[in-house]
């Protein structure tokens, strides 16, 4: 048992170091705020987001990009709160902001994908950007995308997302967990010219792609039966069609911030939703990474239980923990540096003790339990 655990953790360590190197290989983009060539259609699906919408709308109204070169399309997914009136009030408050609100047309069991497709069908411009209603965007957001589009001519751009800082261990735990996903995302893009790996994660809260490219890969066709995944499944299709034209924008000017969950229950619901789609991934590499991460957590928990029962020396458990702790620290610290959130590393030790148990819980629930998303059960 212990030898198997050592082998699994060793392979995991190599993988994480590989991604860590990828972060360093990504060139940081400095946006040119004096040039505005590209026009954008920003799509925001929303459902009962009255508490979040003011923050998003204010941040979009504050963009330093010419208002004649972007539009904001809000797609209402049967909201029953005051979300609609909030959007209407901002349209009146900012008459020069090209803001429109349309209603979602349900065509599948994935309302968010339906909303994005409806938004794209109404979009005036060639470049689509999606974000979420509970996000806040930086004023340099569109300038950063414009820079990478004019310099590298990609078909799709994945972009950084992080959590707004909040007090409390639960929020710091979530931020560390999220930073690990962002680190792996950046690392995989940084190593995409190698044969061993390819990009396999992105986040729909900050995603940009050419409308023509979306149509060339038939949009979300083939994935409508999965409620979420408007980001990673589209990434898979784009990579298959345009393997050398998918980029990650490593730029502080492009970071979108969202909010972590206020309760453990809501956190689990969110992560179960994220994990539930992994079985539908087509990429062998993507599935292999998921299995290796799960197996590493399982080794950590299993050896801990065996040591507690006196079946295994604690020295072995300590060695495995130290190996994973230090390897993960490298990835997390590099990522936190980019996001300028190094302060959260103070919670890393306690979070690293709990994270394997949390990973196994989410994995098990994603296979056996339904989840709730936007007041709907799937």
């Amino acid at each position: 048992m212990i030898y198997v655990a050592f082998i699994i953790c060793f392979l995991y360590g190599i993988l994480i170091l590989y991604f860590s190197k990828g972060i360093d290989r990504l060139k940081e983009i400095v946006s040119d705020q004096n040039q505005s060539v590209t026009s954008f259609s920003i799509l925001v699906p929303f459902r009962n987001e009255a508490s979040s919408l003011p923050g998003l709308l204010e941040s979009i109204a504050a963009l330093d990009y010419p208002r004649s070169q972007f539009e904001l399309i809000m797609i209402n997914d049967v909201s029953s709160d005051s979300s609609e009136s909030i959007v209407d009030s901002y349209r009146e408050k900012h008459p020069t902001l090209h803001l429109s609100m349309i209603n979602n047309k349900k065509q599948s069991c994935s309302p968010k994908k339906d909303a994005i497709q409806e938004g794209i069908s109404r979009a005036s411009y060639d470049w689509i950007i999606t974000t979420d209603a509970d996000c806040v965007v930086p004023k340099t957001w569109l300038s950063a995308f414009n820079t990478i589009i004019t310099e590298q001519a990609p078909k799709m751009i994945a972009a950084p997302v992080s959590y707004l800082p909040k007090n409390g261990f639960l929020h710091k735990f979530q931020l560390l967990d999220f930073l690990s996903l962002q680190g792996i995302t950046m690392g995989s893009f940084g190593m995409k010219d190698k044969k061993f790996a390819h990009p396999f994660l992105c986040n729909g809260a900050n995603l940009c792609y050419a409308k023509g490219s979306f149509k060339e890969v038939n949009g979300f066709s083939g994935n409508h039966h999965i409620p979420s995944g408007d980001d990673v499944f589209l990434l898979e299709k784009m990579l298959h069609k345009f393997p050398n034209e998918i980029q990650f924008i490593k730029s502080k000017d492009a970071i979108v911030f969202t909010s972590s969950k206020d309760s453990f229950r809501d956190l689990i619901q969110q992560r179960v939703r994220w994990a539930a789609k992994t079985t539908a991934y087509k990429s062998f590499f993507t599935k292999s990474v998921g299995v290796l991460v799960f197996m590493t957590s399982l080794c950590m928990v299993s050896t801990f239980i065996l040591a507690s029962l006196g079946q295994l020396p604690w020295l072995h458990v300590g060695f495995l923990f130290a190996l994973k702790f230090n390897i993960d620290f490298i990835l997390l610290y590099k990522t936190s540096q980019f996001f300028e959130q190094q302060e959260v590393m103070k919670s890393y030790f306690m979070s690293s003790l709990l994270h394997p148990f949390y990973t196994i819980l989410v994995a098990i629930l994603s296979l056996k339990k339904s989840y709730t998303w936007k007041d709907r059960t799937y």
Side-chain angles (χ1 to χ4, degrees):
M1 164 66 188
I2 191 61
Y3 296 110
V4 173
F6 283 147
I7 292 171
I8 291 173
C9 289
F10 177 75
L11 294 174
Y12 171 86
I14 292 175
L15 180 70
I16 298 302
L17 287 176
Y18 194 79
F19 289 141
S20 298
K21 183 179 180 182
I23 294 175
D24 294 332
R25 293 181 82 238
L26 269 182
K27 180 183 177 182
E28 191 153 350
I29 302 292
V30 179
S31 62
D32 183 357
Q33 298 173 30
N34 297 316
Q35 184 185 40
S36 52
V37 177
T38 314
S39 296
F40 300 94
S41 293
I42 304 169
L43 309 185
V44 183
F46 70 93
R47 173 178 167 83
N48 297 336
E49 294 283 0
S51 61
S52 302
L53 281 172
L56 171 71
L57 293 170
E58 285 290 356
S59 68
I60 290 178
L63 288 169
D64 64 1
Y65 210 70
R67 290 194 173 182
S68 61
Q69 289 183 250
F70 73 92
E71 65 177 343
L72 173 60
I73 302 176
M74 306 293 295
I75 308 103
N76 181 21
D77 185 21
V78 200
S79 293
S80 57
D81 63 359
S82 59
S83 294
E84 288 185 70
S85 61
I86 289 172
V87 175
D88 286 334
S89 67
Y90 271 84
R91 185 160 44 192
E92 295 175 4
K93 183 179 177 181
H94 300 279
T96 61
L97 184 65
H98 294 227
L99 191 163
S100 61
M101 181 168 55
I102 62 177
N103 291 319
N104 190 19
K105 293 182 179 179
K106 182 174 172 55
Q107 299 177 352
S108 70
C109 68
S110 179
K112 188 175 182 183
K113 296 191 190 80
D114 293 339
I116 293 173
Q117 286 198 154
E118 183 64 23
I120 290 174
S121 71
R122 307 286 190 95
S124 303
Y125 301 122
D126 292 333
W127 280 94
I128 304 297
I129 303 181
T130 63
T131 190
D132 294 336
D134 59 353
C135 291
V136 176
V137 305
K139 67 178 183 178
T140 51
W141 192 40
L142 297 186
S143 296
F145 279 120
N146 174 72
T147 299
I148 193 171
I149 289 169
T150 55
E151 289 182 357
Q152 301 185 29
K155 299 291 188 182
M156 183 181 195
I157 308 161
V161 183
S162 190
Y163 285 144
L164 293 164
K166 290 184 181 180
N167 294 324
F169 177 75
L170 179 63
H171 295 293
K172 296 182 187 304
F173 177 85
Q174 289 179 74
L175 177 54
L176 283 165
D177 182 48
F178 200 77
L179 286 175
S180 71
L181 294 175
Q182 286 291 297
I184 290 171
T185 300
M186 294 166 66
S188 65
F189 273 91
M191 302 299 284
K192 69 184 178 69
D193 59 329
K194 304 295 183 181
K195 293 183 179 180
F196 176 73
H198 60 75
F200 64 98
L201 290 177
C202 60
N203 196 309
N206 200 7
L207 192 61
C208 180
Y209 43 86
K211 182 164 59 175
S213 302
F214 179 85
K215 293 178 179 178
E216 279 192 65
V217 300
N218 295 317
F220 302 120
S221 176
N223 302 124
H224 280 294
H225 61 291
I226 305 167
S228 61
D230 55 283
D231 40 24
V232 291
F233 293 125
L234 183 60
L235 173 64
E236 280 191 339
K237 297 174 79 172
M238 289 281 195
L239 281 169
H240 180 74
K241 183 74 173 179
F242 314 107
N244 300 315
E245 298 172 275
I246 314 301
Q247 303 291 340
F248 185 93
I249 180 168
K250 186 182 181 183
S251 171
K252 293 181 175 63
D253 291 335
I255 299 174
V256 164
F257 287 92
T258 186
S259 295
S260 52
K261 300 300 180 181
D262 292 323
S263 71
F264 183 72
R265 180 182 180 277
D266 289 342
L267 168 62
I268 293 299
Q269 287 284 326
Q270 182 191 61
R271 297 308 201 260
V272 165
R273 171 168 60 86
W274 291 358
K277 61 194 175 191
T278 56
T279 54
Y281 291 157
K282 294 180 179 179
S283 165
F284 175 78
F285 174 73
T286 304
K287 291 181 177 180
S288 299
V289 171
V291 170
L292 184 56
V293 170
F294 173 76
M295 291 302 295
T296 302
S297 295
L298 185 62
C299 287
M300 301 300 296
V301 173
S302 299
T303 53
F304 174 81
I305 293 173
L306 289 173
S308 300
L309 297 174
Q311 301 298 309
L312 198 67
W314 280 106
L315 182 63
H316 292 170
V317 181
F319 179 81
L320 288 175
F321 173 78
L323 174 63
K324 186 176 185 300
F325 179 91
N326 287 291
I327 293 295
D328 286 345
F329 182 89
I330 295 171
L331 179 81
L332 280 168
Y333 191 74
K334 287 179 182 290
T335 311
S336 66
Q337 276 188 312
F338 168 71
F339 286 98
E340 298 182 345
Q341 294 180 314
Q342 298 97 313
E343 185 72 15
V344 75
M345 296 302 294
K346 293 179 180 179
S347 300
Y348 174 59
F349 180 77
M350 184 58 67
S351 296
S352 63
L353 291 175
L354 298 175
H355 199 266
F357 297 90
Y358 156 83
T359 300
I360 291 173
L361 175 64
V362 169
I364 292 173
L365 292 179
S366 70
L367 296 174
K368 300 180 66 176
K369 188 177 183 249
S370 62
Y371 58 85
T372 301
W373 185 26
K374 302 294 182 184
D375 303 318
R376 294 174 173 134
T377 301
Y378 298 92

